[in-house]
Amino acid sequence: MFQLFFPDEYVKSAYEIPYEELYQKGIRGLLFDIDNTLVEHGKPATERAIALMHRLKEIGFHVCLISNNKEERVKTFNEPIQVEYIYKAGKPLRSGYEAAMRKIGTEAKTTVFIGDQLFTDVLGAKRTGIKSYLVEPIDPREEIQIVLKRYLEKPILAAYQRKKNRFGVPKKEGR
């Protein structure tokens, strides 16, 4: 039942994903959520986020930010990064993910999505056939509607952990 919400990978941070390994495995496109995935909610691009995007471009990835935020938020965040972006993406609808892949010239089998929410990020990636990485939110202080979603995510993450533990994957701390 919860399988549609299970990420393909669950990691602590977008900054700890083995991107070189993904590239070696044929992944060419990376789609990123912004808020609480790359930076705290509403914050501008940090030096760390800018450095990550620069590194990803050097590796050879095509990168697109995909956000449900308004254009001004996404455009401002993107100014120092200079990657493609989709605003008002309508996650978890497939249309935003598909538009992002068209922008960067990739397809589902060569694209990975990185985000911090099950009900938007992971669900949308799954529905589109894209591999997903769920990351722990950067800042635990969030808007009330996201706090409510996090509460609903807990049983799904517990079921995900039980499934992973059955196959010998170590339990993920936090969240």
Side-chain angles (χ1 to χ4, degrees), residues 13 21-22 24 50 81 109 122 153 156 164-165 171:
S13 168
E21 289 177 26
L22 289 177
Q24 290 170 358
I50 295 166
I81 291 174
K109 67 182 179 184
V122 172
E153 286 179 346
I156 297 169
K164 288 293 188 181
N165 290 341
K171 185 177 180 183

Side-chain angles (χ1 to χ4, degrees), residues 22-166:
L22 289 177
Y23 194 84
Q24 290 170 358
K25 291 177 180 176
I27 299 301
R28 295 298 181 262
L30 299 173
L31 309 181
F32 283 90
D33 176 52
I34 298 171
D35 289 322
N36 252 347
T37 297
L38 293 171
V39 295
E40 292 176 2
H41 187 80
K43 300 290 183 182
T46 61
E47 289 301 318
R48 188 178 190 198
I50 295 166
L52 174 63
M53 294 299 140
H54 180 73
R55 177 178 149 226
L56 296 175
K57 288 189 250 182
E58 282 184 346
I59 292 170
F61 285 110
H62 301 281
V63 179
C64 187
L65 305 172
I66 176 171
S67 175
N68 285 346
N69 275 303
K70 294 178 182 173
E71 183 176 20
E72 186 58 34
R73 163 68 179 134
V74 182
K75 182 179 178 182
T76 302
F77 179 86
N78 189 47
E79 284 173 357
I81 291 174
Q82 294 299 304
V83 297
E84 297 292 339
Y85 66 85
I86 301 287
Y87 63 94
K88 289 188 180 178
K91 296 182 290 181
L93 299 176
R94 290 190 314 260
S95 57
Y97 296 82
E98 291 166 347
M101 288 188 290
R102 280 192 302 276
K103 272 194 170 199
I104 62 174
T106 61
E107 51 191 304
K109 67 182 179 184
T110 61
T111 306
V112 168
F113 184 87
I114 299 104
D116 70 303
Q117 292 188 51
L118 292 177
F119 298 121
T120 53
D121 300 331
V122 172
L123 177 59
K126 282 266 197 205
R127 294 179 72 223
T128 311
I130 300 172
K131 183 174 180 171
S132 63
Y133 273 76
L134 177 68
V135 299
E136 293 180 11
I138 290 174
D139 186 357
R141 295 169 292 154
E142 298 177 294
E143 296 174 352
I144 187 65
Q145 71 272 16
I146 300 204
V147 170
L148 294 173
K149 283 192 223 177
R150 298 284 186 215
Y151 180 76
L152 296 172
E153 286 179 346
K154 287 182 189 240
I156 297 169
L157 285 171
Y160 170 79
Q161 291 296 356
R162 284 191 301 275
K163 180 183 176 202
K164 288 293 188 181
N165 290 341
R166 275 187 276 167

